[in-house]
Amino acid sequence: MGYHFKPKVCKTFWYMYLTMGHSMAVRPEDQQNHILQSLEVVEFTRPNTSDRVLYVSKICGRLSKEEVVLKLHEAFKPYGLINDIQVYPPAQLPTPAEVEQGEKPEECSYAFVKFYLARDAAKARAGLSGKYFIVGQPILVQNATKMKKRAPYPLPYAKCLEVANYFLGFDGWNSDVVWMGRDPESSRHDPNTLRYICVGRIEIRGWNLSSEGVGLGEMVLDPTSPQERGRLTQAAMNIAFNRAFQNAFSKVILVILENGKVAVEINNKEPDVTPLYTAVATFIFMFLCLCFSS
């Protein structure tokens, strides 16, 4: 998902909000330029730009992948909210005997650490590269320069909660299930198809903003195992719930200033990530939106 500012509207509005309480010792136009340049946009998508993804190399020592992830998480966590840590071990680590005999040099693992903010990634790089040791070996931290250009990938529901709570605070937002029910079309055509639709809403407190999303969850019941209906029904409802709020979060845009203040915008032009396969789902969603907007 891409979002572009309208400089004379959005940025000016955020500048007025974010500069409340700032000293005006410098010229207003200089302060405004500095603040606008320091703005970072956080969307509920997986970070995939070189300024937010760090390449960590020189991770030597005979450590498991889980041990390396734990050590990197402990090292990088103080610098900001981390989206993911991916560790890639070498193809084959040498045995202790090979190392002692000098037959084969010890190979090192490498990793990618993804931050939501570029400034956090920059601070982590400056604070850890050559200064943090794993098994006596200093790691090397650089920006990942060979990033493949990919379409934005929406965050899973659990990650959405992490981002919302971190930047907005636990009391800065709330969510409600507007509607949850079984798709009547699926039950009429195939009683063994358990397809549920959920409509969820997120409200941003203090901004008078809300975002709605629709999710679809489907499970197929084996006619020979009718006792599984309850479990599969709950599974389908959980999938619909997660996708509805994943879609609602995907329209929320956070604007972060250098001092940590946050402004919020909603991109209502962005369609839901999860497609709606039936006309009844589209009708229900539009009807509910009209009811709650009136």
Side-chain angles (χ1 to χ4, degrees):
M1 172 173 60
Y3 186 82
H4 301 283
F5 292 118
K6 296 178 181 178
K8 294 184 179 180
V9 180
C10 297
K11 278 198 170 184
T12 301
F13 166 73
W14 282 321
Y15 164 74
M16 293 173 62
Y17 163 73
L18 295 168
T19 53
M20 290 178 182
H22 279 262
S23 170
M24 297 300 290
V26 297
R27 292 188 305 169
E29 58 269 25
D30 292 340
Q31 185 185 33
Q32 181 177 6
N33 290 334
H34 171 74
I35 291 175
L36 295 183
Q37 290 173 3
S38 69
L39 292 179
E40 284 203 57
V41 176
V42 174
E43 300 179 86
F44 287 76
T45 57
R46 187 178 298 170
N48 194 39
T49 55
S50 60
D51 59 343
R52 303 186 187 195
V53 181
L54 297 175
Y55 172 66
V56 185
S57 57
K58 303 294 184 182
I59 307 173
C60 300
R62 303 185 63 82
L63 297 176
S64 67
K65 180 179 179 180
E66 292 72 21
E67 290 173 320
V68 174
V69 170
L70 180 61
K71 286 185 174 294
L72 292 179
H73 189 269
E74 291 175 348
F76 284 87
K77 182 179 178 181
Y79 293 94
L81 184 61
I82 298 171
N83 168 259
D84 191 23
I85 298 177
Q86 300 171 330
V87 175
Y88 298 88
Q92 183 178 1
L93 287 173
T95 64
E98 289 174 333
V99 175
E100 291 177 1
Q101 297 173 12
E103 295 178 2
K104 189 177 181 180
E106 184 171 6
E107 299 179 45
C108 298
S109 303
Y110 63 95
F112 292 97
V113 180
K114 299 182 179 182
F115 282 93
Y116 290 99
L117 292 178
R119 67 177 69 108
D120 292 343
K123 291 176 183 177
R125 175 182 174 179
L128 297 174
S129 186
K131 303 172 185 177
Y132 182 77
F133 291 74
I134 294 182
V135 194
Q137 175 75 28
I139 61 173
L140 179 63
V141 184
Q142 303 169 290
N143 286 97
T145 57
K146 298 181 180 180
M147 300 292 297
K148 294 182 179 179
K149 192 172 182 180
R150 295 171 177 161
Y153 190 86
L155 293 179
Y157 175 61
K159 290 289 185 182
C160 290
L161 296 182
E162 285 185 7
V163 173
N165 290 332
Y166 184 86
F167 289 107
L168 298 174
F170 289 94
D171 60 348
W173 65 283
N174 67 282
S175 61
D176 294 296
V177 174
V178 179
W179 186 84
M180 170 79 82
R182 188 176 180 187
D183 180 358
E185 290 294 321
S186 67
S187 60
R188 184 160 51 246
H189 296 326
D190 183 3
N192 293 320
T193 298
L194 306 175
R195 181 182 295 165
Y196 281 79
I197 301 168
C198 177
V199 181
R201 167 184 286 185
I202 298 168
E203 294 183 352
I204 311 299
R205 292 174 178 165
W207 285 89
N208 195 28
L209 293 173
S210 64
S211 175
E212 293 78 26
V214 180
L216 182 70
E218 182 178 308
M219 302 294 289
V220 179
L221 176 66
D222 185 350
T224 63
S225 304
Q227 69 276 9
E228 291 289 301
R229 177 175 289 273
R231 182 183 67 82
L232 294 178
T233 296
Q234 187 61 51
M237 293 174 67
N238 289 341
I239 294 172
F241 175 90
N242 288 345
R243 288 177 175 171
F245 285 98
Q246 180 187 37
N247 288 329
F249 275 117
S250 70
K251 302 168 187 173
V252 178
I253 300 162
L254 306 178
V255 183
I256 318 296
L257 191 63
E258 196 172 11
N259 62 6
K261 287 188 176 182
V262 181
V264 186
E265 183 60 87
I266 304 296
N267 183 10
N268 286 317
K269 295 182 180 180
E270 186 69 19
D272 283 355
V273 177
T274 304
L276 300 180
Y277 296 98
T278 61
V280 65
T282 304
F283 171 78
I284 291 172
F285 177 58
M286 294 178 64
F287 175 75
L288 288 171
C289 287
L290 288 173
C291 290
F292 280 85
S293 62
S294 60

